[in-house]
Amino acid sequence: MKYLTGMALFALFGLSGMAFAEEVAAPAVQATVNKGDTAWMIVATVLVALMVIPGLALFYGGMVRAKNMLSILMQVFVIFSLTAIMWATFGYSVAFTEGNAFFGGFSKAFLKGITPDSMAATFSKGAYVPEFIYVAFQLTFSAITPALIIGAFAERVKFSAVLLFTVIWFSFCYLPMAHMVWYWAGPDAYTDAAAAETAGATAGFLFQKGALDFAGGTVVHINAGIAGLVGCLMIGKRIGYGKEFIAPHSVTMNMIGASLLWIGWFGFNAGSNLEANGLAALVFVNTLLAAAAATLAWMGAEWAVRGKPSMLGATSGAVAGLVAITPACGWSGPMGAIGLGLVVGAVCFWSVTFLKHAMSYDDSLDAFGVHGVGGIIGALGTAVVASPDLGGTGVWDYVTNATLPDYSVLTQLASQAWGVGIAIVWSGVVSFIAFKIADVALGLRVSEATEREGLDVTEHGETAYHV
């Protein structure tokens, strides 16, 4: 799941130390549910929901033209609702039950067998939370990811096509990625070396490879960013793109949305710890500092290049910092988080200006430029900032119940590259197929007349504003 993997001892550093592990195997611990952890997870789940509705909706909505504001709000709101139902009926089961290295099974389809007494493992032996709140927390992650994608092709795609694409992409891209990265048997399964090897064999593919992703750098951000890039390339540019002035209709709304995203991200990242403890506090601080540093880095780069710092640049920088720290937040120290934020703020500014112009694609709201590029930087950067020599936490081994003494940045970087590579390829292929199916079945793009009039009236029969 989202903490340092107990399997990391074997996936990253081989089988050295197994004899010692067998000698000091800890006795079984009693499974308990802590009310403080449970209360924190309820709050964290609410915060992540706040990120989507209204946070992401307003952040994206403020960047489109007024004639398309309501369409963005509608897409985000309905995607949230649609994925919630899919998550409860089959998504949770496919992502978080044992199956093979790529997919879980259907043993918990329709939440079968889950009761108020069911428990989900955290990252401490014997510590559990009610499974229902874990289901709800993970539901919000599954909902925001496809909602992020629409930013890449905003203002020109049919609402019906967006929904069909979401169903296909959620089922065959999000769920297997979540399973590959986050599914494992839980810390209590790692009682000795032999048990750890057995438990590790049932984990997701990227978990077995030792890829670290605390809160969704690969599962959420790279996954969504690559899908957005594929979509904007297949759909084509907006009418007038590069020829007409296409400006955000409300930077005010964009700033409100970015602020809600930032606040909600504390639930996203610190909630991924699943426990209310010191590590959650570290994650909270890392999340705060990375976003602040990236805001300053983006603003500084824009000021130097364009002569003026913009509000839109500041909000984009903050989100880039939040994206980059997401996979690293549980392993980085505070100074590492600042460094990661400074790097991603500058690089993402380059990606949404120079790279986008050079490659000539219309990523409307910079879903790829911020989430795709920022997610890649964060996932690879995790290997660096996790190093104890740079203030990171290192990698924990659940067999010996101690931090591994010899952390290797290069070894971990290879594991992180597995995660990045699989996310890019898997999302790229599934997204292409999903867009093709939606195009053949419904048609992806609205007509030129519809696009010029705006999607609010033509697609929904309403307008965001009456002036």
Side-chain angles (χ1 to χ4, degrees):
M1 286 146 67
K2 300 173 186 173
Y3 191 47
L4 38 151
T5 71
M7 193 59 187
L9 173 64
F10 313 107
L12 301 182
F13 300 99
L15 300 179
S16 60
M18 289 183 72
F20 173 76
E22 290 172 352
E23 294 175 5
V24 299
V29 292
Q30 181 67 37
T32 59
V33 172
N34 181 280
K35 290 183 179 180
D37 293 339
T38 303
W40 162 236
M41 289 309 300
I42 292 172
V43 172
T45 302
V46 171
L47 287 172
V48 184
L50 183 74
M51 289 175 65
V52 195
I53 47 173
L56 182 65
L58 293 175
F59 178 75
Y60 273 174
M63 286 194 280
V64 299
R65 289 165 288 186
K67 63 183 180 180
N68 296 312
M69 171 64 165
L70 186 139
S71 72
I72 289 294
L73 300 179
M74 184 72 170
Q75 287 176 26
V76 173
F77 200 86
V78 174
I79 285 173
F80 185 91
S81 303
L82 175 61
T83 54
I85 300 304
M86 291 192 292
W87 183 254
T89 52
F90 66 92
Y92 176 72
S93 186
V94 171
F96 288 109
T97 62
E98 185 177 332
N100 56 46
F102 302 94
F103 294 88
F106 292 98
S107 60
K108 293 187 178 181
F110 300 96
L111 305 185
K112 178 183 177 182
I114 301 177
T115 71
D117 296 322
S118 302
M119 297 186 293
T122 63
F123 304 110
S124 297
K125 291 184 176 181
Y128 289 75
V129 294
E131 190 169 10
F132 270 131
I133 195 57
Y134 185 71
V135 170
F137 182 69
Q138 288 292 347
L139 181 157
T140 59
F141 279 65
S142 74
I144 196 172
T145 309
L148 291 171
I149 299 170
I150 66 168
F153 44 78
E155 303 193 292
R156 57 196 188 273
V157 178
K158 293 179 181 177
F159 181 65
S160 57
V162 168
L163 299 185
L164 178 57
F165 167 82
T166 298
V167 171
I168 300 168
W169 191 87
F170 171 89
S171 302
F172 297 102
C173 194
Y174 182 82
L175 296 181
M177 278 301 302
H179 184 81
M180 281 190 275
V181 174
W182 287 333
Y183 179 74
W184 69 318
D188 287 349
Y190 291 74
T191 54
D192 56 41
E197 190 168 12
T198 300
T202 68
F205 178 75
L206 290 173
F207 189 102
Q208 294 186 45
K209 290 293 184 182
L212 304 177
D213 187 353
F214 198 87
T218 50
V219 180
V220 177
H221 298 293
I222 299 176
N223 211 8
I226 295 300
L229 178 63
V230 171
C232 73
L233 290 173
M234 292 179 67
I235 294 162
K237 303 174 184 178
R238 287 168 289 180
I239 295 172
Y241 180 76
K243 300 176 183 178
E244 302 173 6
F245 182 60
I246 301 176
H249 90 280
S250 177
V251 179
T252 301
M253 288 289 187
N254 173 260
M255 185 270 176
I256 294 170
S259 301
L260 290 168
L261 281 168
W262 193 339
I263 298 304
W265 224 291
F266 292 119
F268 196 84
N269 284 358
S272 292
N273 187 56
L274 304 180
E275 301 170 70
N277 57 19
L279 185 60
L282 172 64
V283 173
F284 193 103
V285 170
N286 287 341
T287 302
L288 178 62
L289 293 176
T295 299
L296 298 178
W298 188 305
M299 183 189 72
E302 184 179 42
W303 205 339
V305 172
R306 294 180 170 174
K308 293 181 181 180
S310 71
M311 182 75 254
L312 185 61
T315 60
S316 298
V319 172
L322 293 164
V323 168
I325 196 60
T326 290
C329 58
W331 291 283
S332 176
M335 297 304 106
I338 291 175
L340 195 57
L342 292 173
V343 170
V344 78
V347 174
C348 283
F349 169 73
W350 168 82
S351 73
V352 306
T353 53
F354 297 98
L355 178 64
K356 184 163 70 170
H357 177 74
M359 301 297 292
S360 190
Y361 57 84
D362 183 12
D363 179 5
S364 308
L365 312 181
D366 298 317
F368 170 72
V370 172
H371 295 277
V373 174
I376 291 170
I377 292 171
L380 296 176
T382 298
V384 178
V385 299
S387 172
D389 292 337
L390 298 174
T393 65
V395 176
W396 185 265
D397 171 37
Y398 279 105
V399 176
T400 61
N401 293 313
T403 302
L404 292 171
D406 299 314
Y407 180 85
S408 169
V409 171
L410 291 179
T411 302
Q412 186 59 49
L413 189 61
S415 294
Q416 297 306 105
W418 267 102
V420 171
I422 291 295
I424 291 172
V425 173
W426 195 288
S427 182
V429 172
V430 174
S431 299
F432 179 82
I433 295 171
F435 280 120
K436 273 294 184 184
I437 292 173
D439 193 25
V440 171
L442 302 170
L444 279 172
R445 188 157 185 164
V446 298
S447 67
E448 180 177 345
T450 295
E451 186 174 342
R452 289 191 180 279
E453 186 175 354
L455 305 187
D456 288 5
V457 173
T458 55
E459 287 274 289
H460 305 290
E462 299 175 299
T463 59
Y465 308 105
H466 294 278
V467 293

